[in-house]
Amino acid sequence: MPIVLKSLREIDAMRRAGQIVALVLEELREHVRPGVTTGDLDRLAAAVIAREGGRSAFLGYRGFPAHICTSVNEQVLHGIPGRRVLRDGDLLKLDVGVEWHGLCADAAISVVVGRGSRVAERLVAVAEEAFWAGFAQAWPGKRIGDIGAAIAGVIRSSGFAVIEGYAGHGVGRVLHEEPSVPNDGQPGEGVLLRSGMTLAIEPMIAAGSGKTRILRDGWTVVTLDGRLAAHFEHTVWVRDNGPMVLTQP
């Protein structure tokens, strides 16, 4: 699939989709507490998306059965919401994608439920720090390897591991477009960044080895060693006067 450069009209639609994503994540964060189920959060997300006139980009995507992804503790991503009750100290990853007028935006945050461990709090902070390091490289003329190298540098210097086998991606006309946006790489290598590209940059990090497996549900990715993981993501517009996040209020 070729890389799709977006028009300003398409960017405007993605910005609106991104604003809905941001609203959903904001309301979900406010409702995260011990005793809430991941299914409760999925229903809340569905209501907010409908209220704002969007459509979940996840529901039905390759058969995914929910509106958002909710991944807890050793679960890295693609967790399916359901009856799981959140407990004090859990590390919850919330991943939301919204389609608006045929254009998609995608973002994720990690939230500690109640009072968490020092490791959990640090994972959350480092995942976000790694995102902004990668974001700073998203200029026309740079390369995908510059983003990955910046992300991996922050993660490894903090004593954590890059999750292996998973990456960010282009996003826009469909949820997953070219190019892949790895969370590791060599500066100056990989796809050349061009104005009009839209990328989901999403560091995924682990307190352990970074190796993973998929549960029998066929979706949920967990760390192989059972250690905690964190995830942070925004949709980013590559433009001539500097990158812009499209999934903020």
Side-chain angles (χ1 to χ4, degrees):
M1 180 186 299
I3 294 171
V4 179
L5 303 181
K6 309 306 187 300
S7 68
L8 291 179
R9 182 193 64 79
E10 289 173 312
I11 293 294
D12 283 342
M14 289 184 67
R15 183 184 287 115
R16 176 57 184 148
Q19 289 172 344
I20 299 172
V21 169
L23 286 171
V24 172
L25 288 171
E26 186 176 276
E27 294 208 26
L28 291 175
R29 187 195 292 273
E30 291 177 358
H31 283 80
V32 169
R33 62 179 63 90
V36 170
T37 70
T38 55
D40 293 334
L41 297 176
D42 188 66
R43 287 184 286 275
L44 173 61
V48 176
I49 293 169
R51 182 191 76 202
E52 298 296 326
R55 185 187 74 83
S56 169
F58 293 176
L59 182 64
Y61 182 75
R62 298 179 182 174
F64 190 75
H67 298 85
I68 62 173
C69 299
T70 55
S71 308
V72 185
N73 295 334
E74 76 283 359
Q75 298 175 355
V76 184
L77 70 167
H78 302 161
I80 300 172
R83 297 179 179 178
R84 181 162 184 166
V85 178
L86 298 178
R87 298 180 178 180
D88 193 58
D90 280 345
L91 177 49
L92 172 67
K93 280 71 70 178
L94 296 164
D95 195 353
V96 176
V98 167
E99 179 188 324
W100 192 81
H101 288 205
L103 277 297
C104 298
D106 186 12
I109 58 174
S110 294
V111 182
V112 177
V113 182
R115 296 184 62 183
S117 67
R118 184 176 179 182
V119 171
E121 297 281 4
R122 184 70 179 137
L123 279 166
V124 172
V126 171
E128 182 169 358
E129 181 184 351
F131 165 81
W132 290 111
F135 169 83
Q137 299 297 316
W139 285 76
K142 290 279 194 174
R143 291 188 177 270
I144 285 292
D146 297 314
I147 295 176
I151 288 171
V154 169
I155 294 169
R156 294 197 175 109
S157 67
S158 301
F160 296 131
V162 177
I163 292 292
E164 299 177 11
Y166 294 89
H169 51 90
V171 61
R173 294 180 186 174
V174 294
L175 185 60
H176 289 94
E177 299 179 346
E178 293 294 333
S180 177
V181 187
N183 292 318
D184 200 355
Q186 295 297 320
E189 294 187 359
V191 172
L192 180 70
L193 301 182
R194 299 167 60 192
S195 183
M197 293 173 70
T198 46
L199 308 174
I201 299 175
E202 50 179 321
M204 291 163 268
I205 75 175
S209 72
K211 297 184 182 301
T212 63
R213 64 184 179 92
I214 299 175
L215 297 184
R216 285 191 293 179
D217 63 18
W219 283 102
T220 308
V221 178
V222 301
T223 57
L224 192 60
D225 56 13
R227 301 285 300 278
L228 292 175
H231 179 203
F232 190 89
E233 174 186 19
H234 275 303
T235 295
V236 176
W237 173 25
V238 180
R239 56 181 190 158
D240 288 330
N241 56 338
M244 174 181 283
V245 172
L246 298 179
T247 39
Q248 288 180 320

